[in-house]
Amino acid sequence: MSDSVSLGKGPSANKEPSAGREPSAGRELWSSRLTFILAATGSAVGLGNIWKFPYITGENGGGAFVLIYLFCIAGIGIPIMMAEIMLGRRGRQDPVTTMKHLAKESGHSRSWGLLGWLGVIAGFLILSYYSVIAGWAMAYIPRMASGVFTGLEAEAVNSVFASLVSSPESLLAWHSIFIFMTMMIVARGVRGGLEKAVTFLMPMLFVLLIILIFYAIDTGYFKQGLAYLFNPDFSKITTEGILSAMGHAFFTLSLGMGAIMVYGSYLPKNTSIAKASIAVAFMDTLVALLAGMVIFPIVFANALEPGAGPGLIFKTLPLAFGNMDYGTLFGTLFFVLLVFAAWTSSISLIEPAITWSMKTFKVSRIRASVISGFLVWLMGLLTVFSFNLASDFTFSSAISTKYGEFVILKDATAFDFLDYLTSNIMLPLGGLMIAIYAGWLMKKAYSREELNINRFWYPVWSFLVRYVAPLMVVVVFLNAMGVIAFVRSIMGI
Ligand code: PHE
């Protein structure tokens, strides 16, 4: 590959042009563009694609939701991903310091460091529940391997899931193991192990999804599944649904919280940010759509409920594995790979907090990992208990106006609340600030130099990041808050 550089140490090995910020001395860079793409894909592809995408699609009625989601990936996700990588590479620090430095470089307030802060907190909160769900996937490995699901009917599979989540002890144990696994890697430094894991495991996960597609075709309900995913019926979409589609575009691409910014900070100067972003977004979307094409035919073939919620894949996939040839083998392998996919994402969720705390408190990577690991674990208890002991502890929030009631959260458990707050609010807000900074405040000369795309594409990117992405985020926010309905009702349109 022409643009691959050997794993170098900082400026001298990578011949940074003097106009850009010099990477801090000795900072290791990714060994090639491919490694960066793999690591960013490792961050992007995770539970979001295989667990979350199918279940929120099911909760929001299918096709119309998917279409809005795809639109958000293309119109908001890719341009913001380019912006986030670009800021990371130019700053070459943790997100907080990066934003402070860049703001200074372009003559703006250092309070842009707050953007980094928002990301550190969002990553921390997401990991607290992400780890519990990854724990479910881990709990399924021994169940799959010992053939628990062989020949089971839908109802029996449901009760396996129900008994897992109703046990605080099991969830706690798996959550603890997963946090420990994540922190082990993080403590050693992200790059070495990650590169290897992703090169080998991602393609395997992909192959298994293809095998499952054959099973889905075999159910005889493939067409219904496809129709559900791809025939948009806009009467099924709510303002809440639009907000979740947008929030999920950020979540699934790992955007808006500094993960991709930190990964971008290790990117050699001469790699194309545009190509890398498109490649990552493409693979991420492909995996999500494949997962959907596997799940929904199984849902319809077994007369299950598409809107079954967070347990959806745990109730459907075992049915497939339990009834197919070599199902025990494939099923075990599948959940192992799902755990790996979650693992490579969880590392990137906590990495901004680690790099930031190392710098701020001048502690070693190991100490930063132990402390953050403990805190995330503690926070995760909220989610663990929200599925059992504290499942009745819910709250709703709605704004009622004389033009109608706008429900924001309904019977939300702690898990629902954390998920809503992070995916639907914090990530889009972080993304909005990134777009505004990169599109409006950063000097054009700098973004042009970093992105290094041709005369035609730079204005396209600039237009998307200045107008389209921020406007879409703001409109969706206002819509979800009921402001748009309010204005329409006043104006009688
Ligand atoms: N993108 C990951 C997934 O889809 C989750 C994630 C979100 C990771 C934000 C990092 C940052 O599972």
Side-chain angles (χ1 to χ4, degrees):
M1 258 172 75
S2 60
D3 58 356
S4 78
V5 295
S6 57
L7 186 66
K9 295 258 174 195
S12 52
N14 290 284
K15 300 206 180 59
E16 299 281 312
S18 53
R21 274 190 50 80
E22 301 261 298
S24 42
R27 192 178 180 83
E28 268 185 294
L29 303 182
W30 301 107
S31 36
S32 69
R33 180 178 88 194
L34 189 64
T35 329
F36 170 76
I37 293 183
L38 285 170
T41 310
S43 165
V45 175
L47 295 172
N49 308 62
I50 292 170
W51 158 74
K52 194 170 175 188
F53 173 72
Y55 100 72
I56 57 176
T57 299
E59 283 181 341
N60 289 289
F65 177 85
V66 175
L67 193 67
I68 298 172
Y69 155 80
L70 291 175
F71 205 71
C72 291
I73 295 278
I76 313 183
I78 295 177
I80 292 190
M81 182 180 281
M82 287 173 62
E84 192 170 335
I85 299 175
M86 170 183 92
L87 298 182
R89 184 168 71 182
R90 196 165 183 87
R92 294 247 188 258
Q93 303 272 349
D94 65 277
V96 181
T97 319
T98 286
M99 286 314 300
K100 281 190 193 156
H101 276 315
L102 293 183
K104 207 167 133 214
E105 178 190 64
S106 290
H108 299 289
S109 154
R110 284 166 65 90
S111 11
W112 278 94
L114 284 175
L115 167 61
W117 252 100
L118 181 74
V120 167
I121 298 170
F124 183 87
L125 295 178
I126 296 176
L127 183 57
S128 81
Y129 69 81
Y130 202 83
S131 156
V132 178
I133 312 295
W136 297 356
M138 282 207 280
Y140 266 50
I141 298 172
R143 287 172 175 73
M144 273 292 165
S146 58
V148 165
F149 297 105
T150 313
L152 287 196
E153 301 277 323
E155 218 160 284
V157 171
N158 274 354
S159 60
V160 174
F161 178 73
S163 78
L164 169 70
V165 294
S166 62
S167 155
E169 297 85 9
S170 315
L171 295 197
L172 187 60
W174 291 113
H175 163 60
S176 312
I177 297 174
F178 189 79
I179 290 288
F180 182 75
M181 278 167 51
T182 301
M183 292 309 164
M184 285 257 298
I185 301 281
V186 173
R188 288 201 199 151
V190 166
R191 288 172 302 282
L194 190 71
E195 292 193 12
K196 288 201 197 72
V198 182
T199 331
F200 174 63
L201 297 166
M202 282 288 152
M204 277 219 321
L205 183 66
F206 195 76
V207 170
L208 265 179
L209 280 171
I210 303 284
I211 294 177
L212 280 168
I213 290 275
F214 282 106
Y215 176 84
I217 294 175
D218 213 38
T219 58
Y221 283 79
F222 195 61
K223 251 197 172 152
Q224 280 88 328
L226 284 192
Y228 186 77
L229 272 180
F230 298 115
N231 280 355
D233 172 359
F234 281 95
S235 67
K236 294 210 178 118
I237 200 85
T238 58
T239 50
E240 258 315 293
I242 300 176
L243 179 65
S244 346
M246 179 183 77
H248 189 63
F250 283 98
F251 185 92
T252 192
L253 294 176
S254 306
L255 292 182
M257 50 71 67
I260 290 292
M261 198 184 279
V262 173
Y263 278 13
S265 75
Y266 307 124
L267 188 66
K269 198 87 191 170
N270 52 2
T271 41
S272 157
I273 291 181
K275 284 188 200 146
S277 306
I278 292 172
V280 173
F282 176 77
M283 285 187 277
D284 186 79
T285 310
L286 191 63
V287 172
L289 294 179
L290 283 177
M293 294 192 304
V294 169
I295 306 285
F296 289 106
I298 304 176
V299 167
F300 297 125
N302 294 281
L304 297 169
E305 178 51 52
L312 187 67
I313 67 159
F314 297 93
K315 296 174 180 170
T316 46
L317 292 180
L319 275 173
F321 292 124
N323 293 295
M324 70 199 254
D325 296 339
Y326 305 107
T328 305
L329 175 70
F330 288 147
T332 313
L333 201 57
F334 179 84
F335 281 101
V336 169
L337 292 173
L338 183 57
V339 171
F340 269 104
W343 202 7
T344 52
S345 301
S346 62
I347 291 165
S348 70
L349 277 165
I350 199 69
E351 187 63 10
I354 301 288
T355 47
W356 169 78
S357 52
M358 279 166 64
K359 163 134 182 139
T360 312
F361 305 116
K362 310 243 172 330
V363 287
S364 67
R365 187 168 256 284
I366 298 191
R367 182 169 286 207
S369 310
V370 172
I371 298 173
S372 351
F374 174 71
L375 294 174
V376 179
W377 175 84
L378 207 61
M379 186 79 201
L381 300 184
L382 276 181
T383 298
V384 164
F385 298 130
S386 75
F387 288 100
N388 36 66
L389 304 178
S391 61
D392 291 338
F393 183 74
T394 60
F395 55 93
S396 304
S397 116
I399 304 174
S400 54
T401 68
K402 72 178 198 240
Y403 302 99
E405 172 148 284
F406 299 101
V407 179
I408 296 180
L409 278 171
K410 193 160 180 292
D411 298 331
T413 61
F415 158 72
D416 297 325
F417 174 72
L418 282 172
D419 182 38
Y420 185 93
L421 176 70
T422 51
S423 312
N424 293 2
I425 300 175
M426 294 176 90
L427 299 185
L429 202 59
L432 176 65
M433 286 166 70
I434 289 172
I436 292 177
Y437 187 82
W440 292 93
L441 297 178
M442 187 170 187
K443 290 210 170 85
K444 282 208 157 172
Y446 296 158
S447 55
R448 207 183 277 274
E449 173 197 320
E450 285 294 332
L451 289 177
N452 196 13
I453 37 181
N454 64 29
R455 281 231 201 118
F456 173 73
W457 286 111
Y458 182 82
V460 172
W461 171 80
S462 176
F463 178 73
L464 288 172
V465 101
R466 283 165 74 100
Y467 302 100
V468 180
L471 262 174
M472 276 167 77
V473 175
V474 169
V475 167
V476 174
F477 270 160
L478 293 180
N479 189 29
M481 293 188 308
V483 176
I484 291 182
F486 176 72
V487 172
R488 279 178 64 176
S489 62
I490 296 183
M491 299 172 61
I493 44 175

